[in-house]
Amino acid sequence: MGSTGAPTLPAVYIVSAVRTPMGQFQGSLASQSAIRLGSHAIKCTPSPLAKSFSLRISDHPPPQPPYNEFPPSNPKMSKRSSSATSSPQSNPPPPPQTKPHSSPSSLSLGQNPARQCALNAGLPDTTICTAVNKVCASSAKSVILAAQTIMTGTASCVLAGGTESMSNVPHYLPSLRCGGTKYGNDTLVDGVMKDGLTDAYSQDLMGLQAEECAADHSIPRKEQDDYAIRSIKKAQHASQSGLFAKEIAPVEIPGARGKPATMVEKDEKPLAPLNEEKLRGMKPAFVTDGSGTVTAPNASPLSDGAAALILCSEPFLKSRNLTPVARILGWGDAAQKPSKFTTAPSLAIPKALTHAGVKKEDVAA
């Protein structure tokens, strides 16, 4: 993007971006909880950065000073649960202190998934963590919070990201808590649908709201299938060409009953062969009266995976001679009627461009 950011905001840089491969629902990563995936992404932070960030990936990190021992005037920088960890400016740097982390479906993970990811990755007990729940926008929001933490001088280095295992979201028996089922059958509630894919206001599935978007903007089935095929082909090309290899942290899956472990090294969805004829012939998944356009293969898949970014201030960057991946110039938030969430980005993008001081003509399509 452009080189000019909002003039009143201190510079914030991304200096590391690591993620696990993306596993399909009940696929290659199904045996790994969201906590394990999130911890793995943090552990796989490049070693030079780990040293400058004071990350100790060990079972017994040494005692660390409490948060209030750091001078308040010293700028500091702080992971679908989001978390962040921060490290104040000093030499050598103390351990990270705050970590925003996101997890859209965090039920059954235990208290504060962000902190679990941090401590299971070997970060010290003094690491301050914040979990973010903003459904699909959770991880992006955790990065925004991390950048704001740095810009306000609260921290100089922050770890932010997200983790999700839709394969491990449980089913619920809500009637057992209040009064219990006295007689007869009971019904299991799918946590993926209840807390991840259902509008809490209309109780419509998100797929129906995708159909609403297609109707509002006259997007026919053929265009949706064309877009899905083009997207899959791009993902397959990127995977086969190794374009994602530098950012992926392979996940080792232990073998069962004495069998050898397997290594998941690539995103799972692009590994499957694409049958264009079959994709175009699939029946609509949500509207079945003949007018439906959204199908399982042309819609977003259910997935498992995690990612971790390290953000830092410009003084922190220069003092450790780090090479930035990118600079955060700005961001934008927007909201509208819940069923219109599909087009909310069209309202947020102009805000982000204005906030960043970037013209839309300067952004590569």
Side-chain angles (χ1 to χ4, degrees):
M1 292 190 5
S3 59
T4 60
T8 59
L9 299 177
V12 175
Y13 296 91
I14 298 173
V15 291
S16 172
V18 177
R19 67 176 179 92
T20 69
M22 297 301 295
Q24 294 194 87
F25 184 64
Q26 297 297 319
S28 60
L29 298 179
S31 64
Q32 306 297 295
S33 69
I35 302 301
R36 285 189 177 185
L37 292 172
S39 298
H40 180 72
I42 298 171
K43 286 181 179 180
C44 292
T45 300
S47 55
L49 274 173
K51 291 178 181 178
S52 68
F53 197 53
S54 285
L55 303 187
R56 290 184 57 87
I57 309 305
S58 65
D59 293 330
H60 304 286
Q64 305 296 340
Y67 179 78
N68 58 15
E69 286 188 21
F70 294 113
S73 60
N74 204 0
K76 304 190 274 303
M77 180 183 166
S78 10
K79 170 184 162 23
R80 213 164 124 189
S81 179
S82 274
S83 69
T85 65
S86 74
S87 171
Q89 287 250 352
S90 64
N91 197 4
Q97 293 193 338
T98 106
K99 171 180 172 294
H101 198 93
S102 74
S103 180
S105 302
S106 58
L107 290 177
S108 85
L109 294 181
Q111 295 178 342
N112 198 342
R115 184 163 170 80
Q116 291 185 62
C117 289
L119 299 190
N120 286 331
L123 299 186
D125 291 345
T126 51
T127 303
I128 298 170
C129 304
T130 301
V132 178
N133 187 340
K134 198 174 170 65
V135 202
C136 296
S138 300
S139 294
K141 190 64 177 180
S142 75
V143 175
I144 293 172
L145 292 174
Q148 291 172 335
T149 301
I150 295 166
M151 288 178 174
T152 57
T154 307
S156 60
C157 191
V158 182
L159 189 149
T163 184
E164 175 72 293
S165 178
M166 300 188 85
S167 294
N168 284 289
V169 175
H171 287 74
Y172 314 143
L173 277 173
S175 64
L176 292 185
R177 173 64 68 186
C178 184
T181 302
K182 301 300 183 183
Y183 179 78
N185 300 325
D186 209 336
T187 302
L188 286 170
V189 176
D190 185 351
V192 170
M193 293 180 63
K194 172 68 175 177
D195 293 315
L197 303 177
T198 300
D199 182 348
Y201 309 97
S202 68
Q203 297 302 307
D204 287 338
L205 291 174
M206 292 174 69
L208 289 174
Q209 296 173 344
E211 289 281 12
E212 182 179 324
C213 177
D216 288 347
H217 299 278
S218 302
I219 306 173
R221 164 72 183 268
K222 183 179 183 303
E223 285 189 21
Q224 295 177 53
D225 287 346
D226 289 345
Y227 188 93
I229 290 169
R230 186 164 64 250
S231 178
I232 293 170
K233 286 182 176 180
K234 285 183 175 181
Q236 289 176 331
H237 170 73
S239 180
Q240 294 164 4
S241 303
L243 298 180
F244 295 144
K246 288 185 178 180
E247 68 186 41
I248 291 179
V251 177
E252 184 178 288
I253 307 298
R257 299 177 182 176
K259 294 182 179 179
T262 58
M263 191 68 73
V264 181
E265 300 178 315
K266 293 185 176 182
D267 297 329
E268 191 170 7
K269 182 72 173 178
L271 296 177
L274 171 62
N275 186 327
E276 294 186 35
E277 183 179 354
K278 183 177 180 180
L279 186 150
R280 295 186 185 279
M282 290 291 290
K283 294 181 179 180
F286 304 99
V287 177
T288 58
D289 62 0
S291 64
T293 61
V294 180
T295 67
N298 74 15
S300 301
L302 307 183
S303 304
D304 304 333
L309 303 180
I310 293 181
L311 290 70
C312 73
S313 65
E314 189 164 18
F316 188 98
L317 179 92
K318 291 180 177 179
S319 67
R320 286 151 186 86
N321 196 29
L322 299 175
T323 300
V325 176
R327 178 182 171 187
I328 295 179
L329 301 180
W331 52 83
D333 286 308
Q336 54 185 347
K337 184 179 178 181
S339 68
K340 305 294 185 182
F341 78 94
T342 51
T343 55
S346 68
L347 304 177
I349 290 172
K351 290 183 177 182
L353 292 174
T354 300
H355 188 232
V358 175
K359 296 179 181 178
K360 64 180 182 180
E361 294 80 13
D362 296 332
V363 180

